[in-house]
Amino acid sequence: MRSWTDTLRFAFQPVVNLMTGGVAALEILARPEGGDVLAEARRDPELDGRLAVSAFRAAVRKETLLPLHVNVFAGTLADLGGLQPLHDAVREAGRMPWEVTLDVCPPYAHVPRRALLEAVSAVRAQGFRICADGVGDGDAPLRLLTDLAPELVKLDASLLARPAAVRAMRVLCDELGALLAVEGVETEAQYAAARTAGAQWAQGELLAPPARLPATDVYLPAGSPGVPPAPRSGPPVRQFVRPAALLPTSASAGQVRALLTGSPEVSGVLLVDRDGVPVRSVHRSRFLLTMSGRYGHALYADRPAAKLGDVPRTVGVDATAWEVLDVVAVGGRGRTSDDVAVVDAHGRCVGVVRLADLVRALAESRVEEAAGLNPLTRLPGSDAITAEVDRRIADGRAFALSWLDVDHFKQVNDRAGFAAGDELIRAVGRVLSRAASGSTRVGHIGGDDFLVLTDPEALEGLASRVLDVPWAAGGRPVTLSLATVLCPPGGVPDHRQAAACLAPLKEAAKALRGASWVLGRAGAPGHEVRRGSNRAAAQTG
């Protein structure tokens, strides 16, 4: 008699980090050839528990090193009081429990609340991470959601039609210390809506359909921004994080050798403690060279691999590429090719970065940056600013976008000469560059037009720097006009709409007399005059 395992197959669907474009994890999905094993599992907790173990073992057989998401019904956890067989399977495979996230699935109705919370506490104590799945289209009460305190919340894509609800869920997730994901993303419009509403992760047919083999290639719509660049300190290290090859600190040299010889793409292994904190770093070439010596295998195969490792080099997940290079530069030259472990706030490894990736990316960014700079002011063009606008929108951050230009600049050139006009533009550019500290970004989009992106609280200081000082070209006094649109979280869907809101404000600023500043708010009528006077009033006064 055939059992349910004989016809059951599994598929793998990437969960994508919307900020980096990389694959954050793989969800393991049951694909029975016949019958409805999931309906049976919902009624039979023992079956659901065995299904979770089978899903994990299917991933192990595929030798993927990515973090995994395993589905389990809420009722199963409450009934069984935990998932000890899954914990045992994870340990037997040499993986760490914190690499596995349990997607706790509805229904929650009729599930004993106390029993569920006690079971979640038990599996979390074992090291597993918790995801509240099916939120928004299921029956998860908000009270239960806050009590679960999940590390991840997955929203159904249908909720994207109600962006206010998604933004509210992002606020709740921030309070809980959880990430927000959207599942079931099938169109580019849904993808854009997810990013605009503040979702940090996503999965769905658009990005990557479920596949028989674990995959890291995903589709990202054109223009998808990555992590906000920091021009003075280099791109964030999160852009370059790769999955880490991890083994427990108790692993033998033979186990490390088996992993390296079976995975030629792995450049090194990190030995981590029970909490996932890197303790030793094993470099591929140096390790295999030692093991391949005359007596290497006999001497070391059964000994702890930690004896052949080095102190790991680590950087925080918020570090920049330049900071990684600083870490690499410390110590002997023999370790310059070692992977650098990227750790979270608790010191747990979230991945590794390779020096070659960093060097290549930094070189390319310098070439691209140089090509995009305005030759007169050495400031970037509009593309850099609009890309940053889209990133801040996706992050759910409030921002202010300003347009600055010289009043009657053609007359300035005609009367003072183009050389004086060029020097004026360079002087304005220098002042703006000096003001571009912290999160302020400045772009020269051509002629006498500048774009400035900053936090709303930095506006007054910026305006004072450029408007409350005398300007002149060829000895003739000159005034500047500034137009600003304030964009709250969710106020605009993309940089195009922000620019559209800014255009009438610029026109209003140019209609004022003297140095002018007009301030408006996205989605709100009218504007506020912060500097300048009405021309008609000035003529009749």
Side-chain angles (χ1 to χ4, degrees):
M1 180 176 178
R2 302 181 74 191
S3 70
W4 61 271
T5 57
D6 294 329
T7 60
L8 186 63
R9 301 291 181 268
F10 292 93
F12 304 88
Q13 185 172 42
V15 182
V16 179
N17 184 326
L18 294 180
M19 298 312 301
T20 67
V23 176
L26 290 173
E27 181 176 356
I28 314 168
L29 304 168
R31 291 291 185 264
E33 293 181 3
D36 192 348
V37 70
L38 294 180
E40 295 178 35
R42 189 169 68 178
R43 296 188 295 267
D44 184 349
E46 293 287 349
L47 174 60
D48 193 31
R50 296 200 301 274
L51 192 62
V53 173
S54 297
F56 172 76
R57 287 177 173 162
V60 171
R61 287 194 295 272
K62 301 300 182 183
E63 298 183 344
T64 176
L65 298 175
L66 283 167
L68 303 171
H69 283 237
V70 177
N71 292 288
V72 61
F73 287 110
T76 295
L77 279 178
D79 191 83
L80 299 181
L83 290 174
Q84 187 61 43
L86 177 61
H87 183 262
D88 294 340
V90 171
R91 285 299 188 183
E92 290 168 7
R95 298 292 293 262
M96 303 298 289
W98 65 267
E99 298 177 74
V100 178
T101 297
L102 300 179
D103 283 12
V104 183
C105 304
Y108 292 92
H110 309 302
V111 175
R113 177 176 169 275
R114 176 175 294 181
L116 175 59
L117 293 178
E118 289 177 352
V120 166
S121 179
V123 296
R124 184 175 270 132
Q126 291 176 326
F128 291 111
R129 296 180 178 182
I130 301 298
C131 165
D133 201 356
V135 176
D137 195 41
D139 61 345
L142 279 179
R143 179 186 173 189
L144 177 61
L145 187 62
T146 56
D147 288 342
L148 286 174
E151 282 78 20
L152 179 68
V153 172
K154 284 187 178 181
L155 295 183
D156 187 84
S158 61
L159 209 61
L160 292 172
R162 300 167 178 83
V166 182
R167 291 195 295 271
M169 187 57 67
R170 170 63 191 270
V171 173
L172 176 60
C173 285
D174 288 345
E175 290 291 327
L176 296 175
L179 294 173
L180 180 63
V182 175
E183 56 185 349
V185 175
E186 298 181 351
T187 67
E188 294 196 8
Q190 287 181 325
Y191 172 86
R195 298 194 81 258
T196 299
Q200 294 138 314
W201 288 8
Q203 64 186 114
E205 293 281 339
L206 174 71
L207 306 172
R212 184 173 59 87
L213 296 175
T216 56
D217 292 331
V218 296
Y219 168 75
L220 295 175
S224 301
V227 178
R232 297 183 185 278
S233 54
V237 72
R238 284 175 290 182
Q239 288 183 253
F240 312 103
V241 174
R242 293 171 174 257
L246 304 174
L247 285 175
T249 52
S250 59
S252 68
Q255 289 175 302
V256 172
R257 183 178 183 275
L259 190 157
L260 292 175
T261 55
S263 305
E265 75 283 359
V266 173
S267 55
V269 176
L270 289 174
L271 305 179
V272 295
D273 65 15
R274 292 180 63 86
D275 295 322
V277 176
V279 176
R280 302 295 283 178
S281 173
V282 179
H283 183 268
R284 180 187 188 89
S285 298
R286 293 198 301 274
F287 174 83
L288 292 179
L289 184 62
T290 300
M291 291 291 288
S292 62
R294 187 173 182 181
Y295 301 108
H297 190 273
L299 286 173
Y300 299 111
D302 296 326
R303 297 180 66 184
K307 292 185 178 296
L308 299 178
D310 300 290
V311 175
R313 291 173 165 176
T314 61
V315 294
V317 71
D318 294 321
T320 67
W322 292 112
E323 290 175 276
V324 178
L325 293 184
D326 290 340
V327 170
V328 173
V330 176
R333 293 185 178 181
R335 295 193 61 192
T336 53
S337 61
D338 286 19
D339 292 343
V340 176
V342 181
V343 297
D344 63 14
H346 303 287
R348 298 174 300 200
C349 180
V350 298
V352 295
V353 291
R354 297 179 181 177
L355 181 62
D357 292 343
L358 291 181
V359 172
R360 185 182 308 110
L362 289 173
E364 291 174 352
S365 68
R366 284 291 181 262
V367 172
E368 292 174 359
E369 181 183 327
L373 296 180
N374 186 287
L376 189 61
T377 58
R378 307 305 294 168
L379 289 171
S382 61
D383 287 348
I385 306 302
T386 54
E388 174 70 2
V389 168
D390 284 335
R391 282 189 282 266
R392 297 195 188 190
I393 291 172
D395 287 344
R397 296 170 58 187
F399 64 89
L401 183 63
S402 300
W403 190 325
L404 176 77
D405 71 348
V406 179
D407 294 328
H408 311 296
F409 184 64
K410 185 179 183 303
Q411 296 179 17
V412 171
N413 274 340
D414 290 344
R415 295 172 181 174
F418 71 86
D422 285 352
E423 181 52 40
L424 172 64
I425 296 302
R426 280 192 287 266
V428 173
R430 285 193 295 270
V431 170
L432 290 175
S433 296
R434 287 194 290 270
S437 58
S439 61
T440 300
R441 304 286 183 264
V442 177
H444 183 187
I445 60 177
D448 62 319
D449 293 315
F450 296 86
L451 275 180
V452 185
L453 175 64
T454 190
D455 295 330
E457 55 269 22
L459 278 174
E460 283 291 349
L462 173 71
S464 296
R465 295 283 293 271
V466 296
L467 297 180
D468 296 345
V469 295
W471 292 97
R476 298 174 180 271
V478 172
T479 57
L480 307 182
S481 293
L482 182 67
T484 301
V485 59
L486 288 175
C487 299
V492 291
D494 54 34
H495 71 269
R496 295 177 183 83
Q497 186 60 40
C501 294
L502 191 56
L505 298 176
K506 180 190 177 185
E507 184 177 352
K510 301 299 286 184
L512 297 175
R513 185 183 183 87
S516 61
W517 180 21
V518 166
L519 179 69
R521 289 167 175 80
H527 59 265
E528 176 185 354
V529 176
R530 293 288 188 91
R531 301 280 201 288
S533 59
N534 184 280
R535 291 183 183 277
Q539 290 171 357
T540 58

